[in-house]
Amino acid sequence: MKPFRFTATINGRPVDLPVNPHRRLLDVIRDDLGLTGTKEGCGEGECGACTVLLNGRPVNACLVLAPEAAGCEITTIEGVAPEGGLHPIQEAFLEAGAVQCGYCTPGMILAAKALLDKDLSPTDQAIKTAVSGNLCRCTGYIKIIEAVRLAAAKLSGEGDAV
Amino acid sequence: MNRRGSGCLKDGPGVIGRNCRRVDGIAKVKGSAFFAADRKIDGMLLARVLRSRVPHAVLNKIDARSALEVPGVVAVYTASDIPGENRVGIIVKDEPVLVDDRIRRVGDALALVVAESEEALAAALPAIKVWYEELPGIFSPAQAMAGGAPAIHGQGNIQSVTRIVKGDADSALKEARVVISRRYTTQMVEHAYLEPEAGLAAVEDGQVTIWASTQNPHYDRREVARVLGIGQNRVRVVQAPTGGGFGGKLDISVQCLLGLAAWKSGRPVRMVYSREESMEFSPKRHPCVIDYTSACDGDGRLLAVKVKIVGDTGAYASYGPATLKRAAVHASGPYQVPNVFIEAYCVYTNNPTAGAMRGFGVPQVAFAHESQMDLLAGALGLDPFTIRLRNCFQPGSATATGQRLIQSVGIGQTIEQARAGAVQLGVLGGKR
Amino acid sequence: MLQPFNYHQPSSMEEALSLMATLPGPKKVLAGGTDLVPALRRGELSPAHVVSLKQLAEMREIKIKEGRVHIGALVTFSQLAEFRPFRGPHNLLAEAALQVGGPQIRSQGTIGGNIVNASPAGDLLPPLVALEAEVRLCRAGGERVLPLDEFLKGLGRTCIEQEEILTEAVFPVLPGQAASSFVKLGRRNSLAISRISMAAILVPGATGIIEEARLALGAVAPKPVRVPRAEALLKGRRPDPSLLEEAVTAVAETVAATLGDRPSAPYKKVAVRGVAREALIKAAPQFGCKL
Ligand SMILES: Cc1cc2nc3c(=O)[nH]c(=O)nc-3n(C[C@H](O)[C@H](O)[C@H](O)COP(=O)(O)OP(=O)(O)OC[C@H]3O[C@@H](n4cnc5c(N)ncnc54)[C@H](O)[C@@H]3O)c2cc1C
Ligand code: FES
Ligand code: FES
């Protein structure tokens, strides 16, 4: 079992490190890179707490072997906010009260980002579909859906309308 | 707009009706909130528990010698390594941190492995040899309460009985126009908080500090101190951001084991449950069997209820006695009932432990008393709103336990508004 | 944590096939990993070698040529759901893909993995069986093409050999006037495996009659099954509510026979009626036209 040379771009920064190929992308992100905003809730693709974007698409980092993500552009929650501020989706989650315990929040925000990066006026159904791979045990989802709607409005320049 | 959640109080009374930011909000949306599994300390070890695969057995011997030979394994702790008391529990101290005599459930902790890496843990656990003598298991309260059933704990299988008696239910039943008796059964429920249990412990200057995903840091502290046999002044428990609890993180999970491992090894130790371990080991909502008899007069006014509730608390009491007490107290629902006889039993079995979960025994009985109201209404040809309005608490009513409700009692208005809403939505006709 | 294994990331099909031919010991192909990684984590599989298909870009394409649709084994559920040409007669594939897992699973999971995993509940399988798809299996120095129905052997079993890689699924293009549908019944809308699923293809004739019907059910038998009785019954007739009920009954009777005495049988016998009804109405709205 020889280590695999893992080169990728994480949150806009190049990384280059040896990883054991049986380690999951989630382990490399959390343990090797110390980006602990990405959470593990189940380890088997059911909860979405480990969601990251791989070349813009949402994936469960617990199901991706690290070397499979080599060469990709990876976005974790730590790469969402601009320096010193918050991303409009993050603002919207706070404003809508979509954050309770916060354990699902990073994954939810990335799932929402994957949607809003492509579609700034999603229907409620599209929002529900976008977060359908993410479990939240606290909020009951309503406020999360509201937050994504609000974020869409913010991003498309409608500011605090909605 | 308030930033960092601090603004609202400073702004004075104007906070009411305005949005405030939660104090922990920014860290949570940025992914910089450190949950217990996110913490690391230099030189930190990892720990994992060897758990029982059988529900009921006498534990004879644990041999960890081969596990200790696995490279990277630092120690394997068993019950004999516990310096203080090896029993914890919020109400009854009946649960071992590490089993010393008897296995009472699948998932009981037998040994704690501490190692440098996940790989070492994975190799060490199967290398531990356990000798035990299996006993027949008891998997339902009915079995547990039957005469001659083996006692899971020394004092027998009925852990507690709560009785509430008001008036004379039996006589009232005889005079009633309608009497309905049914059995209701409710299932075990897992909280499934999104964050599995996790914690980290470190010892410094003779004091142990534990960061844990918990709902109950003060209790944790007392238990860790008892288990380690040290004063509470030498134990510090920090509640890490906690990824959901819903009652399920009120009991001890990793705290005592981590305290033990850090205390004994002198090194920081972290333990994170897998989802499977969390499901298997964490307490559940009590499954209940509820035998419910209700009686009313020709106008649908309740005359009496007789209720027997049997809750399966599993292998350990946890919050069971209190949960069943609460189930008893609420068994007559939000209704005025002049004659009441309620019994609630909290019973040990070899099932997973049941403890606290949102509602604490009340959802179980609500299912029963509300079903009964619908059946009574049906028997008298009343609509379900009417029978509830005729019976619900008013200011001045007395509950089954004799409490006078002297302040606001909202149930009547709530039912009226629910009915109006249902009519408006067109799911209910306008007339009674 | 997963048990360690040797990992290979060949950069060409030749290299991949030669690795498959020569690596000693148990080996597994890795596509999206959505079935394989959980199995490795649970310790159900412990291959000595994992051969990743990641770099084999040619298997990520969907091509339509000479009257046949070729779907590369690495095509993901998202790709299938988003592939515009599947909005027409072939939309059963897009519909099935869109109902798999959640968005994260759809970004990663592949058609090849779905086929080789051979779950009775695999959502692409009933559509592919209805489409009468074939699969291409390659090995160093050779290849074979098998009808999917023959390739699938039942619960997690196929006739793939240790050294083979499934490279594509191929099926004939449906006539332009054909319509199709896929309906899935799960315990909830996302992240739920199918309790029952049905794919339907209806080819209308000139006079509004059904010229050809192909129905395939998932999760009622060890592998997807066609429903010849219902298909025959529909053929040559005009879709209307009474024909719908006849067809639904034929489907239900077929299912009752395949289910045996599995615990879910009583439920599935009833529920399949709703699934069949919905699938047929989606494919031909006339079935639902007001009585
Ligand atoms: C949370 C979750 C939800 C899911 N929901 C659904 C669902 O709703 N419906 C559904 O159908 N499935 C579902 N699945 C299962 C899974 O996503 C699919 O079966 C998927 O198609 C597997 O594809 P993959 O590329 O991820 O396969 P892998 O995991 O990479 O491989 C699966 C198997 O196929 C073999 N294999 C893969 N590709 C090839 C090839 N080209 N040649 C030879 N062998 C190959 C592998 O060796 C392995 O044995 C779900 C899985 C998860 C984790
Ligand atoms: S941890 Fe990856 S989906 Fe739950
Ligand atoms: S906020 Fe707790 S799980 Fe979503």
Side-chain angles (χ1 to χ4, degrees), chain C:
Chain C
M1 204 206 60
L2 314 181
Q3 287 302 312
F5 44 73
N6 293 294
Y7 175 85
H8 311 267
Q9 205 180 80
S11 53
S12 69
M13 182 57 87
E14 293 67 49
E15 189 189 344
L17 294 175
S18 113
L19 282 170
M20 294 304 285
T22 53
L23 288 172
K27 53 203 156 210
K28 276 281 161 191
V29 167
L30 172 66
T34 59
D35 280 317
L36 189 62
V37 174
L40 293 172
R41 176 174 175 272
R42 290 191 289 262
E44 289 164 9
L45 295 173
S46 41
H49 299 276
V50 168
V51 177
S52 162
L53 304 180
K54 176 181 158 67
Q55 293 197 38
L56 309 184
E58 68 272 23
M59 283 207 285
R60 295 188 189 281
E61 290 171 18
I62 308 175
K63 282 180 273 192
I64 303 177
K65 57 178 191 212
E66 291 159 22
R68 292 167 76 76
V69 180
H70 298 254
I71 305 180
L74 292 182
V75 167
T76 62
F77 296 115
S78 306
Q79 260 179 291
L80 288 172
E82 289 161 18
F83 188 61
R84 294 222 148 239
F86 285 169
R87 300 277 159 90
H90 304 94
N91 72 321
L92 79 172
L93 267 180
E95 278 181 38
L98 203 55
Q99 293 190 53
V100 170
Q104 293 90 331
I105 298 294
R106 295 196 287 272
S107 320
Q108 281 293 109
T110 66
I111 184 170
N114 207 240
I115 296 172
V116 178
N117 194 55
S119 158
D123 282 322
L124 294 182
L125 305 182
L128 289 170
V129 164
L131 287 162
E132 299 180 343
E134 296 173 327
V135 293
R136 186 180 308 276
L137 303 165
C138 293
R139 66 170 75 209
E143 65 169 50
R144 55 186 179 137
V145 175
L146 285 180
L148 176 61
D149 188 43
E150 208 173 290
F151 175 75
L152 298 171
K153 289 281 187 211
L155 218 150
R157 291 181 306 120
T158 68
C159 27
I160 200 160
E161 307 270 347
Q162 266 260 346
E163 62 277 13
E164 282 179 322
I165 293 177
L166 188 151
T167 57
E168 63 174 5
V170 188
F171 54 84
V173 170
L174 291 173
Q177 77 277 21
S180 69
S181 66
F182 174 80
V183 170
K184 164 175 177 174
L185 177 68
R187 290 214 165 99
R188 56 193 182 109
N189 286 337
S190 46
L191 291 171
I193 58 163
S194 285
R195 310 283 292 138
I196 304 177
S197 66
M198 183 162 131
I201 299 173
L202 298 175
V203 186
T207 54
I209 58 152
I210 297 170
E211 198 172 278
E212 188 187 358
R214 297 190 222 154
L215 310 177
L217 289 159
V220 296
K223 64 180 208 173
V225 287
R226 289 282 291 269
V227 201
R229 252 193 66 208
E231 291 176 1
L233 190 146
L234 290 166
K235 197 173 162 164
R237 294 178 62 190
R238 205 174 293 276
D240 64 22
S242 79
L243 180 60
L244 175 71
E245 287 316 306
E246 279 182 59
V248 164
T249 301
V251 171
E253 284 168 7
T254 308
V255 167
T258 65
L259 279 173
D261 56 0
R262 67 179 77 185
S264 60
Y267 159 75
K268 288 191 172 181
K269 275 179 200 167
V270 179
V272 71
R273 300 185 71 94
V275 172
R277 204 172 280 131
E278 206 180 310
L280 287 166
I281 293 175
K282 263 173 114 181
Q286 306 90 300
F287 273 125
C289 276
K290 262 288 157 262
L291 305 155

Side-chain angles (χ1 to χ4, degrees), chain A residues 22 30-31 36-37 39-42 77-78 86 90-91 94-95 99-104 109 135 137-138, chain B residues 1 3 21-22 25 28-31 33-35 37-38 40 119 191-192 194-196 242-244 246 275:
Chain A
H22 68 281
R30 286 178 53 84
D31 299 344
T36 54
K39 304 300 179 198
E40 176 161 7
C42 67
I77 188 66
E78 289 87 350
L86 290 181
Q90 293 169 316
E91 292 274 1
L94 289 179
E95 279 170 39
V99 181
Q100 287 191 29
C101 81
Y103 203 77
C104 70
I109 288 176
L135 294 178
R137 290 291 289 165
C138 302
Chain B
M1 196 197 311
R3 296 252 165 202
R21 283 219 165 155
R22 17 184 331 135
K28 283 178 173 174
V29 295
K30 290 180 80 169
F34 282 107
F35 290 77
D38 302 338
K40 247 186 200 170
E119 284 78 1
H191 309 70
L194 207 58
E195 178 210 27
T242 296
F246 319 124
R275 174 58 59 187

Side-chain angles (χ1 to χ4, degrees), chain B residues 42-72:
Chain B
D42 285 341
M44 177 180 88
L45 298 171
L46 304 175
R48 204 183 293 169
V49 181
L50 176 74
R51 296 189 179 279
S52 163
R53 307 313 316 160
V54 297
H56 201 190
V58 174
L59 177 65
N60 291 328
K61 191 176 138 195
I62 298 178
D63 178 356
R65 278 172 303 181
S66 338
L68 284 164
E69 280 162 20
V70 173

Side-chain angles (χ1 to χ4, degrees), chain A residues 24 26 38-51 59-63 103 133-135, chain B residues 194 275, chain C residues 104-105 191:
Chain A
R24 308 167 301 172
L26 179 61
T38 306
K39 304 300 179 198
E40 176 161 7
C42 67
E44 53 179 31
E46 296 284 347
C47 78
C50 65
T51 302
V59 301
N60 299 122
C62 70
L63 295 185
Y103 203 77
N134 295 73
L135 294 178
Chain B
L194 207 58
R275 174 58 59 187
Chain C
Q104 293 90 331
I105 298 294
L191 291 171

Side-chain angles (χ1 to χ4, degrees), chain B residues 227-408:
Chain B
V227 168
L228 296 184
I230 57 178
Q232 283 185 43
N233 58 330
R234 295 169 73 189
V235 181
R236 189 169 155 243
V237 175
V238 182
Q239 181 188 11
T242 296
F246 319 124
K249 287 179 183 167
L250 284 168
D251 289 280
I252 294 293
S253 61
V254 297
Q255 298 85 334
C256 295
L257 292 165
L258 280 174
L260 176 71
W263 193 251
K264 286 286 215 182
S265 69
R267 289 179 58 184
V269 184
R270 187 172 81 184
M271 177 154 63
V272 180
Y273 283 2
S274 66
R275 174 58 59 187
E276 290 85 343
E277 193 172 12
S278 172
M279 284 249 178
E280 187 171 85
F281 184 67
S282 68
K284 307 289 179 267
R285 185 188 289 291
H286 283 81
C288 288
V289 176
I290 304 168
D291 288 308
Y292 208 117
T293 298
S294 317
C296 66
D297 66 17
D299 295 330
R301 287 205 166 70
L302 285 168
L303 298 175
V305 300
K306 266 188 94 168
V307 191
K308 181 180 174 191
I309 307 159
V310 178
D312 179 356
T313 208
Y316 303 104
S318 175
Y319 282 81
T323 305
L324 269 299
K325 186 169 287 169
R326 191 135 290 278
V329 166
H330 288 267
S332 51
Y335 305 113
Q336 308 186 61
V337 191
N339 301 290
V340 170
F341 185 86
I342 298 165
E343 272 183 330
Y345 295 82
C346 174
V347 182
Y348 286 124
T349 63
N350 295 116
N351 288 331
T353 302
M357 182 170 190
R358 312 185 79 161
F360 224 77
V362 181
Q364 291 94 319
V365 292
F367 166 51
H369 62 65
E370 291 311 306
S371 304
Q372 288 288 104
M373 292 306 271
D374 287 344
L375 292 171
L376 291 174
L380 288 167
L382 292 172
D383 95 34
F385 288 98
T386 305
I387 193 163
R388 286 174 171 81
L389 282 167
R390 277 193 192 150
N391 288 289
C392 68
F393 286 144
Q394 314 284 342
S397 307
T399 66
T401 49
Q403 183 186 357
R404 284 259 162 233
L405 303 175
I406 49 176
Q407 265 150 11
S408 74

